[in-house]
Structure formats: structure tokens, C-alpha cells
Amino acid sequence: MLNEKFRLSFILFFLFISYGASSFKADECKNFKWQSKSCKIANIISYPSLLFFEGFNQTFEFIKTSLNNGQPVISGRIVREPQITKERFIESEPFFTFNYKKGTRKNAGYLLLAFTDPRKIDKSSSIELWDLKQQEKIHTYDIDFNQIGLKGKDLQRGLKHPLLLEDGSLITYIDTITKNNQKPLLKINKCGKLLVKRDDAHYHHSIEIDQDGLIYVPSRPKPEEIDLNIFPKGFISDGFHIFDSDLNLLSKYSLIDIYKKNNLLKDIISHGPIKVNPFHLNDVQPYKTIDGKKIVLLSIRNQSKILAFDLDQEKIIWIIDRATSHQHDVDIFQGHKDYINISIFDNNVYFFDKYTIPEFESNRYITFENLNFNPNKQIQFIDTPNKFKNYDMKIDSFNYLPINLRPITKTEGLSEFSKSNNSLMIEETNYGRLFEIDLKTKKLLWQFLNKSKKDGLLYYLNWSRRIDSLPGNLNNNSFESCDDS
């Protein structure tokens, strides 16, 4: 009897030690290392205890925050891998950290900050305008969420990629699906009052403006607009709408039609079962040439392609393929008479394990130069290393930054190059971080971490926008008074 108890005690003790060792190993593996075989085994064995521990931590934080505020709080859009991300930035201060003296950086510009605000009890969406030279907030948009129809958890996803207009108003969209299965597009004045609401389509991802003040937004057609004789039920197509500044619809384009007219539809329907979401358009970047021709660059995430499309002739000019992996945010940072230079924020997800933070790989900032935008009879495919070299492809992998400061956002994110400041801003959307790098010194100019305290959890960002100068005649004093008429 005694021996049996001893054996049982020994087995339990051995399992306890083994389980503890596995948990310790799994925790060690989280420290920004590639996952070895032993790490993966440890992760599987220790998953139940770590899941319980993670739940305990979040529950404790929920109770503590609720007690501090005197009422229960909604958890909000907490970032991916919250505990790992918390540890990653545990030494960094919350919100803004500036690494230059106030008023000293001449072309520091402005930031239209869009984020899930961890300081609010309901963790609702906020939009703020910041002067990066003076390192101060100019304006907070006091948005009437009841007027635009947001409540509960929808407040946390809130409003995305706001575009600042010359009168101080914003164009944005609701990043949550409404009852009629749409994502409405909005125009809000500087006081937060709703001016226009379009709920006629599923608007998503980027909002961009061209030299004539026209606005371009990716959109998805309604299910009844999909040809079910060709595509399966549930098929997700994409396209984009073009509006004036009052959100009057001027024209709209369908990617199915674009692919069909350019003899590319076989790329969608000729490789076995048709994929339900073959495009996932996440950016429409407009450009007007010197002779008045209008083109757009289209970022097709699920094909990892960038297309240049002539709006007037409805022809694809060229396609960049095999250079990126699930990229976002293509920009034109310089235009010549016959050529353009572009940048791409490459999520580089091919190198990311689903449950780990990589040690050696990160997002990438890619540029191509001297891309011709004159349409030829045939599409130009830029899809090999030699062709990349012809267009002076350059890759910034941020290897000069410490491992924990390299951007690794997987499903969202953006970049903004400032020529006047010679700097690059990155939004690491999935992990609640914004930062700007001086491209000469490779040093961080500033960083924003979306947490309310140093050891707090981080919350999502909602696609912020860096602005070199305020549009039109706007200045810092334009937001001091509010005409709510």
C-alpha cells in the first residue's frame, strides 16, 4: 500500500515537474525566437495552463480597471498575442515618446491619429489631430456615435483611415458590418456632427484623394450583383467607388470586370475550385499625369500583386507580382513626365509562423522606380528578380532596429514616406504601435504605443494618417472654435 502511494506520488511529482518545465520552455520560446521542434512540443503540452494563465491575467485586469472606473468596462480591441506584445513593449512608455526637442524639427508635419482609446471606459474609437513639431494635440473629434448608429462593441472598431478635408471635416467609414451587411461611408464635420452617411455598399480599407479632390474607396458589390452562374454562393468580389468631397458617387469599377476586359479572368476561375475571396483589395492609390491621364494603383492582397490601371481606357498597364507577401498600402512618392516611383508596405507574412513573433524577419518597405504608366497593347509583367532590378527595387527590412522594435503586423498596416522630412512612418496596426524613422540616421523620431500605462495591454490602431501640411487654408487655430451648423 505504501509503495503504491509512493509510486503515485512520484508519478504526480514527475508530471508536475515535467509540466512546469514545459511551461517554462514555452515561455522561453516566446522571447522572439524562431520555434524549434522542442518549442513546438512545449507549446502543445503547456497550452492549457498558459491559456488559463492568460485568461486569469485578462480577468484580473478587467476587474481592476472596472474597480478603478467605478463601473464594468468592455475589453476593447486588444492586440494580437496580448501578453507577448505587452512583454515586448514593457520598457516603453504609453502613448507618445518624442526623441527630438519640441519645436526643433521644421518639417515634422501632422498626424491624424485613429485608434481604439484605452483611456475610455467603453474603449471606443477616437480620432485626434496632432502637431508633430510642437508635440501637441490640436483637436479631438467629438463624434456623436448615436447619430451615426454605433453602440456597444461596435464603438471599439469605430472609424477607420480618416481623410482630412480643407474645411476640417473628415471622410471615414465604419469598420463594423451593419444590419444590412454593409460598412457605411461617412462625412463628419470638425465638431463630430454627421453630414453624410452612405450605407449602399461595403466600404473597406483605404480612403485616398487625388489632385482634383476626388475620393477613392475600395468597395464590395452586394451578393445579388454576383453572377452565380460563374461564381459560387458566398463569393467575395471587390472594386472601388469614386466620389466628390460631399460623397456624391461619380463612378464605380469592378475587379471582375477589370480582369475580364484585360483577359485575366482565367487567373480566378481556371485553377481548380474558385476561391471565395480571390482579391481582397486593400488600397486604391490615384494619380493624375501631366497630360491629364488618370491612373490608379491597386493592391490585391490575396494575390500579392500591385496593378497599375488606366481609368479612361480601362486597361491594366503593368502588374508587379512575386515581390511581396500580402502587402498593404501602395503609394506614389514621386512622379516624372512619363514615370512614377512607388512604395509598398509589405506585410511579408510568408515568413511568419501563426503563433510566434519572428526573430529575423519583419515587415518590409519596398520601393520601385521609373515605372512607366503609358499603356501598351499588352500588360507588362514585373515578376522576376531581373525585372525587379530593372526598376531599381529596394527593400528596407528594418534590420537596424532592435528585434522588439521591428514591425511585424500581419494582416493590416501602412507606411507613409515624407520627402520633406526624409522620414518613414509605419503603423503596426495589429500591435497598437506607430513610429517614424529618420531615414538618414535610422533612428526613431517618435513612437506611439496604444496603452494607458507602462505595463498595460495594448489596443488596436485604426489606420492613422501622416500629413506633411494641413490641407487648404487650415492651421492650428482652425479647430479652436466649433461651428456646428
Side-chain angles (χ1 to χ4, degrees):
M1 186 70 177
L2 186 63
N3 288 338
E4 290 181 3
K5 289 183 178 180
F6 177 79
R7 281 198 299 270
L8 180 60
S9 300
F10 178 80
I11 291 171
L12 291 173
F13 178 75
F14 177 78
L15 290 174
F16 176 78
I17 294 297
S18 300
Y19 199 77
S22 298
S23 298
F24 179 81
K25 179 65 177 178
D27 188 66
E28 183 185 64
C29 291
K30 291 192 305 183
N31 192 24
F32 319 117
K33 305 285 186 181
W34 281 107
Q35 291 275 305
S36 64
K37 187 174 182 180
S38 61
C39 281
K40 291 180 179 179
I41 293 172
N43 279 337
I44 294 171
I45 295 173
S46 62
Y47 180 76
S49 64
L50 294 178
L51 183 65
F52 173 81
F53 184 69
E54 176 71 23
F56 174 82
N57 278 341
Q58 293 193 28
T59 302
F60 179 75
E61 182 143 340
F62 168 84
I63 295 171
K64 185 171 65 173
T65 307
S66 298
L67 291 174
N68 289 340
N69 286 284
Q71 58 182 300
V73 301
I74 302 171
S75 62
R77 294 187 71 209
I78 297 173
V79 298
R80 293 181 170 223
E81 295 97 11
Q83 282 302 125
I84 299 176
T85 305
K86 181 178 176 180
E87 294 168 12
R88 180 182 169 206
F89 299 123
I90 195 68
E91 299 300 322
S92 300
E93 296 296 329
F95 299 115
F96 279 101
T97 300
F98 291 96
N99 297 320
Y100 55 91
K101 291 183 179 179
K102 181 178 178 179
T104 61
R105 199 161 183 92
K106 182 179 179 181
N107 298 310
Y110 295 83
L111 176 70
L112 195 58
L113 178 64
F115 63 116
T116 298
D117 195 338
R119 297 166 298 188
K120 294 182 178 180
I121 293 174
D122 58 7
K123 305 294 186 286
S124 59
S125 174
S126 287
I127 299 175
E128 299 176 351
L129 181 62
W130 281 76
D131 182 335
L132 296 176
K133 179 182 178 181
Q134 298 302 326
Q135 303 177 9
E136 64 184 15
K137 182 172 62 176
I138 298 172
H139 185 57
T140 298
Y141 284 83
D142 187 15
I143 299 165
D144 187 343
F145 288 107
N146 289 325
Q147 189 185 26
I148 64 176
L150 282 179
K151 59 183 180 179
K153 289 188 176 181
D154 290 344
L155 292 172
Q156 300 160 13
R157 299 192 67 86
L159 309 175
K160 204 157 186 179
H161 206 214
L163 173 69
L164 180 63
L165 301 182
E166 293 183 354
D167 61 354
S169 62
L170 299 176
I171 303 294
T172 184
Y173 67 90
I174 302 175
D175 189 31
T176 186
I177 298 177
T178 58
K179 290 181 180 179
N180 61 347
N181 202 33
Q182 306 301 320
K183 286 189 176 184
L185 192 65
L186 311 172
K187 182 174 182 178
I188 299 170
N189 72 5
K190 66 178 182 179
C191 306
K193 180 181 178 181
L194 178 65
L195 300 178
V196 183
K197 180 178 180 179
R198 294 193 64 106
D199 57 0
D200 56 332
H202 181 120
Y203 298 104
H204 59 96
H205 288 89
S206 68
I207 300 174
E208 300 294 351
I209 191 167
D210 70 8
Q211 291 95 318
D212 296 325
L214 303 184
I215 296 163
Y216 298 68
V217 189
S219 59
R220 287 177 181 166
K222 296 178 181 179
E224 57 267 26
E225 297 174 338
I226 303 296
D227 186 353
L228 295 180
N229 292 318
I230 300 176
F231 303 103
K233 186 177 180 180
F235 180 83
I236 299 173
S237 184
D238 264 317
F240 58 95
H241 286 42
I242 304 177
F243 303 94
D244 64 16
S245 60
D246 291 319
L247 296 186
N248 294 307
L249 179 63
L250 303 179
S251 56
K252 61 180 181 179
Y253 295 82
S254 162
L255 281 182
I256 288 294
D257 291 341
I258 291 172
Y259 271 53
K260 186 183 297 183
K261 290 176 182 178
N262 288 270
N263 196 31
L264 292 177
L265 197 59
K266 58 183 178 295
D267 289 356
I268 307 301
I269 63 175
S270 65
H271 299 290
I274 298 175
K275 293 183 179 179
V276 173
N277 186 6
F279 299 115
H280 199 97
L281 176 67
N282 59 33
D283 193 14
V284 182
Q285 183 66 43
Y287 182 76
K288 186 177 181 181
T289 66
I290 294 174
D291 58 1
K293 186 182 301 178
K294 288 197 169 187
I295 66 167
V296 291
L297 303 186
L298 306 175
S299 173
I300 313 295
R301 190 199 74 168
N302 284 3
Q303 296 180 23
S304 297
K305 293 179 181 178
I306 302 292
L307 279 63
F309 178 66
D310 186 303
L311 285 173
D312 299 320
Q313 298 188 38
E314 297 194 13
K315 288 185 177 180
I316 295 176
I317 305 167
W318 44 255
I319 298 176
I320 296 176
D321 191 11
R322 302 175 186 175
T324 61
S325 179
H326 278 204
Q327 78 291 328
H328 283 72
D329 192 24
V330 56
D331 292 319
I332 299 170
F333 65 87
Q334 191 171 9
H336 308 282
K337 182 179 179 181
D338 297 316
Y339 300 91
I340 54 174
N341 299 339
I342 73 168
S343 66
I344 307 167
F345 179 74
D346 180 21
N347 292 79
N348 197 26
V349 298
Y350 174 79
F351 292 97
F352 288 177
D353 185 277
K354 185 176 181 181
Y355 300 108
T356 62
I357 292 180
E359 180 177 8
F360 302 110
E361 290 293 337
S362 67
N363 302 139
R364 308 188 303 173
Y365 177 74
I366 298 176
T367 59
F368 288 88
E369 296 187 3
N370 298 319
L371 291 160
N372 193 316
F373 46 67
N374 289 317
N376 300 313
K377 291 183 179 180
Q378 293 183 340
I379 299 172
Q380 184 179 4
F381 290 91
I382 305 169
D383 54 4
T384 66
N386 285 338
K387 291 179 181 178
F388 298 157
K389 189 181 298 183
N390 290 340
Y391 295 100
D392 199 20
M393 177 185 178
K394 292 185 175 66
I395 300 174
D396 184 348
S397 296
F398 307 102
N399 292 332
Y400 44 83
L401 293 176
I403 291 173
N404 67 311
L405 297 183
R406 297 173 192 171
I408 53 171
T409 185
K410 301 174 185 179
T411 63
E412 299 184 68
L414 54 82
S415 61
E416 295 289 346
F417 169 69
S418 171
K419 184 178 180 181
S420 61
N421 201 37
N422 192 31
S423 63
L424 180 66
M425 187 194 83
I426 300 292
E427 179 178 297
E428 200 177 345
T429 310
N430 291 156
Y431 298 99
R433 177 179 176 232
L434 267 169
F435 64 94
E436 188 168 358
I437 298 175
D438 184 310
L439 292 177
K440 182 178 180 180
T441 65
K442 305 299 185 185
K443 303 294 184 182
L444 290 185
L445 294 170
W446 56 265
Q447 178 174 264
F448 176 86
L449 288 174
N450 196 21
K451 58 181 180 178
S452 60
K453 57 184 179 179
K454 193 169 183 178
D455 64 344
L457 295 174
L458 283 92
Y459 290 76
Y460 262 74
L461 296 169
N462 292 332
W463 286 35
S464 304
R465 190 185 302 267
R466 194 193 179 285
I467 308 167
D468 278 338
S469 59
L470 297 178
N473 296 318
L474 288 179
N475 57 51
N476 288 19
N477 299 323
S478 300
F479 300 90
E480 289 183 353
S481 61
C482 191
D483 179 11
D484 200 17
S485 60

